[in-house]
Amino acid sequence: MPNTKAYAAYAPDQDLKPFEFDRRSVGDDDVKVKIDYCGICHSDIHFAHDDWGMTEYPVVPGHEIIGHVTEVGSKVTRFKPGDLVGIGCMVDSCRECTPCKNDLEQFCEKGMVMTYGSPDPEMGGVTQGGYSSQIVVKEHFVLNISDKLDLKGVPPLLCAGITTFSPLNQWKVGKGQKVGVIGLGGLGHMGVKFAAAMGAEVVMITRSPEKGEDAKRLGASSVLVSTDQEAMASQAGTFDFLLNTIPVAHDINPYMPLLKFNKTMVLVGATPIEVHSMQMIFGNRHLSGSLIGGIKETQEMLDFCAEHNIVSDIEMVNIQDVNTAYERVMKGDVKYRFVIDMKSL
Amino acid sequence: MPNTKAYAAYAPDQDLKPFEFDRRSVGDDDVKVKIDYCGICHSDIHFAHDDWGMTEYPVVPGHEIIGHVTEVGSKVTRFKPGDLVGIGCMVDSCRECTPCKNDLEQFCEKGMVMTYGSPDPEMGGVTQGGYSSQIVVKEHFVLNISDKLDLKGVPPLLCAGITTFSPLNQWKVGKGQKVGVIGLGGLGHMGVKFAAAMGAEVVMITRSPEKGEDAKRLGASSVLVSTDQEAMASQAGTFDFLLNTIPVAHDINPYMPLLKFNKTMVLVGATPIEVHSMQMIFGNRHLSGSLIGGIKETQEMLDFCAEHNIVSDIEMVNIQDVNTAYERVMKGDVKYRFVIDMKSL
């Protein structure tokens, strides 16, 4: 009888249904975790629906995992049974290449092993994620979670959190800076919380003025409506940093002139964009992409959250409601992330 | 009788025809220059044709100016009559704002005064450029030119040269780096020369394999044909820097994966582009714009050219042939820049 209960997406209808499979037994440097909560990330939906043409069915999504350690291998030093831990988007990498040695496992030259949907170097087949009762992960990829935080809001930190924290951290956002967060969804709401906690003046930039109140509750000091050309023009050349979280194809020409010269917009949404080079040439402006963060930086983010009492705003659901939750995410009908209570499995 | 002969573009037919006007008399910090040569830049054509909707006719184009000093104001210390000098894209700025104080006059907060087509703070009307017999310019904006160089090829250094030198210089291109130059025109051919002289391994990236021989003559060590998907895939993740000089709307998705992680493509062509953020997110890759360079860096570029014997490959024309030259530039029929011999005026 398989040792792990889960929900998996199946072809051809792509709905998630009950699934059982075997996790590997605990190796010397492995940590076994009983999963308490798992966040629902938009990537889970793209993967379940094979939007990126790389899905092997059945697949168990989920890379925002919070749980308790139940067993550790003989060489594990940082964890013991009972510890509260997290697992994010990666569960392995080569640990020997230049990016790995520089704490950038997400750029491992041999390819990071993603928490689900990657070729599984230990078991064959593909890795299976966190919509499951338990998981076995190498110690290096297991994160410490502070019990000071409201645990239910912690899972999204492991993807939405690090995705927005990393660029704000890398570009040294802080006091005295004016930072714009474009788009108020799962990523954007974390971006506002982090940038405000880092001490920046945060401006929520959105097409939807009705999002203003919530943006201010989250930490924005003001709201800039991107369809208001006069307002946009009045703030041209005043921003030190822009975090663009828009998840659908769009034109960034209206936003680039908001930046001071030599400043940067970072894209974290996976989407096609258009821009006229003149918007970047006049002002030597920069556009960058940013992919999650390495394990070391993810731990720094979690520690920052514990220090500043930051979690995600979430709605809790049972695993049986995951297909409905997916539909609501696709309609943008969630403030701001769903988390699955794995007790319901 | 006006003191300056020139050729200007007129509305509505936009052709260039003879024009006469008055330059200002020499002020305390002014340098008067008799113009020997003036390069033809694609921007001149955009301006003459009012492609950017900002042209006041008649306009005298030309911002790649080489000549000899004929008179200096009482406070001028760096020049004397007879000196060989250059004037590029700017003739004034506020000199007091943060960008100006940091030798980035092109980002002057009050707006740089362009060599032609800007409101003229001294004379009223708009500034008039280098397709003319003489020019009067503030000392700060006048550049030293080495008489070691073949003068005929020097004018394009003042725009095509600094436009490509500055990003290569700012991103510290040099030995041990693999640099791709995309597009082999007026800008691209300077990019290849500079990157090679800086010590980098230069790869010419082009859709046109027939440009390969010339690229190698200019300093490229190899040619990568961008329509050859196999060749492009084989060089994915191997470039330290990409200089994109393509002057027409294009999709940069095929080029971004050539970069190593955390590396940059700089755009210097004025054109709309498309990119999928995934090409930047996977690899934390960067895209930047770059606008000419400040006066200090332009002088550094000219000194670098004198040290490495670098000039532009040019075709010399008489001023009477400027309209034909414009047509040939628009067809891409020049290797690699036209220079006007002002003796013909």
Side-chain angles (χ1 to χ4, degrees), chain B residues 77-93:
Chain B
T77 59
R78 291 167 48 233
F79 300 101
K80 60 180 190 309
D83 284 353
L84 183 60
V85 296
I87 296 133
C89 301
M90 299 182 277
V91 290
D92 209 351
S93 71

Side-chain angles (χ1 to χ4, degrees), chain B residues 119-178:
Chain B
D120 187 330
E122 308 276 333
M123 298 282 280
V126 294
T127 53
Q128 301 289 12
Y131 296 4
S132 57
S133 56
Q134 60 169 2
I135 191 167
V136 178
V137 179
K138 291 211 172 135
E139 176 182 24
H140 179 77
F141 293 86
V142 179
L143 298 144
N144 293 296
I145 304 290
S146 166
D147 59 10
K148 285 190 231 163
L149 292 168
D150 179 356
L151 273 194
K152 296 178 174 66
V154 171
L157 299 179
L158 294 159
C159 178
I162 185 62
T163 297
T164 50
F165 178 88
S166 178
L168 294 165
N169 186 41
Q170 297 296 326
W171 270 267
K172 302 188 195 316
V173 160
K175 280 209 171 67
Q177 291 181 33
K178 182 173 169 184

Side-chain angles (χ1 to χ4, degrees), chain A residues 43 53 87 95 112 136 140 142 190 216 239 293 302 337:
Chain A
S43 304
I87 296 134
R95 313 280 308 280
M112 62 171 159
V136 178
H140 178 77
V142 179
M190 289 309 309
K216 287 181 186 170
F239 283 82
L302 290 165
R337 299 281 275 204

Side-chain angles (χ1 to χ4, degrees), chain A residues 19-315:
Chain A
F19 176 65
E20 296 192 343
F21 69 106
D22 276 314
R23 295 286 189 191
R24 69 175 184 259
S25 55
V26 173
D28 288 348
D29 53 359
D30 279 339
V31 175
K32 185 188 269 192
V33 177
K34 178 182 170 297
I35 301 176
D36 296 316
Y37 301 112
C38 185
I40 294 178
C41 174
H42 210 128
S43 304
D44 298 353
I45 301 175
H46 286 305
F47 220 89
H49 295 176
D50 198 18
D51 291 338
W52 297 328
M54 56 194 281
T55 304
E56 277 188 42
Y57 293 103
V59 62
V60 178
H63 57 205
E64 298 180 342
I65 299 167
I66 297 293
H68 285 83
V69 175
T70 54
E71 187 182 342
V72 298
S74 60
K75 294 185 179 163
V76 169
T77 59
R78 291 168 47 233
F79 300 101
K80 59 181 190 308
D83 284 354
L84 182 60
V85 295
I87 296 134
C89 300
M90 299 181 278
V91 290
D92 209 351
S93 70
C94 84
R95 313 280 308 280
E96 289 174 353
C97 67
T98 303
C100 279
K101 286 191 172 163
N102 285 284
D103 297 307
L104 295 162
E105 299 89 347
Q106 73 271 38
F107 301 124
C108 173
E109 290 174 1
K110 294 186 179 164
M112 62 171 159
V113 178
M114 296 186 301
T115 302
Y116 61 85
S118 276
D120 187 330
E122 309 274 333
M123 297 282 281
V126 295
T127 53
Q128 302 289 12
Y131 297 3
S132 56
S133 57
Q134 60 168 0
I135 190 166
V136 178
V137 178
K138 291 211 172 137
E139 177 182 23
H140 178 77
F141 293 85
V142 179
L143 298 144
N144 294 296
I145 304 290
S146 166
D147 59 11
K148 284 191 233 164
L149 292 169
D150 179 356
L151 272 194
K152 296 178 175 63
V154 171
L157 299 179
L158 293 159
C159 178
I162 185 62
T163 296
T164 49
F165 178 88
S166 178
L168 295 165
N169 186 40
Q170 296 297 326
W171 270 266
K172 302 187 196 317
V173 160
K175 281 209 171 69
Q177 291 181 33
K178 181 173 168 183
V179 169
V181 176
I182 307 172
L184 186 60
L187 294 173
H189 98 289
M190 289 309 309
V192 170
K193 290 187 183 202
F194 283 133
M198 289 169 177
E201 175 195 347
V202 182
V203 179
M204 178 73 236
I205 304 173
T206 175
R207 283 177 306 180
S208 315
E210 70 277 11
K211 292 190 174 171
E213 278 313 299
D214 219 27
K216 287 181 186 170
R217 179 185 61 80
L218 296 165
S221 57
S222 65
V223 175
L224 174 58
V225 178
S226 58
T227 51
D228 180 342
Q229 290 184 14
E230 203 173 317
M232 290 287 277
S234 75
Q235 298 201 34
T238 64
F239 283 82
D240 296 282
F241 187 79
L242 291 173
L243 182 68
N244 182 342
T245 72
I246 300 176
V248 294
H250 64 290
D251 173 0
I252 64 167
N253 285 304
Y255 304 105
M256 288 306 287
L258 294 173
L259 288 170
K260 293 179 183 174
F261 84 93
N262 204 25
K263 299 297 183 183
T264 300
M265 173 193 289
V266 171
L267 302 169
V268 291
T271 176
I273 59 153
E274 289 169 46
V275 64
H276 197 293
S277 67
M278 293 290 259
Q279 302 291 4
M280 304 179 66
I281 288 174
F282 280 88
N284 284 14
R285 298 187 178 104
H286 313 289
L287 181 68
S288 298
S290 185
L291 180 67
I292 50 174
I295 292 297
K296 185 180 172 197
E297 192 176 35
T298 305
Q299 189 62 61
E300 286 169 17
M301 177 273 302
L302 290 165
D303 296 345
F304 182 90
C305 288
E307 186 186 338
H308 294 271
N309 194 31
I310 292 174
V311 295
S312 175
D313 287 19
I314 65 110
E315 181 176 336

Side-chain angles (χ1 to χ4, degrees), chain B residues 160-161 164 184-191 312 334 336-337:
Chain B
T164 50
L184 186 59
L187 294 172
H189 99 288
M190 289 308 309
S312 175
V334 57
Y336 281 93
R337 297 283 273 203

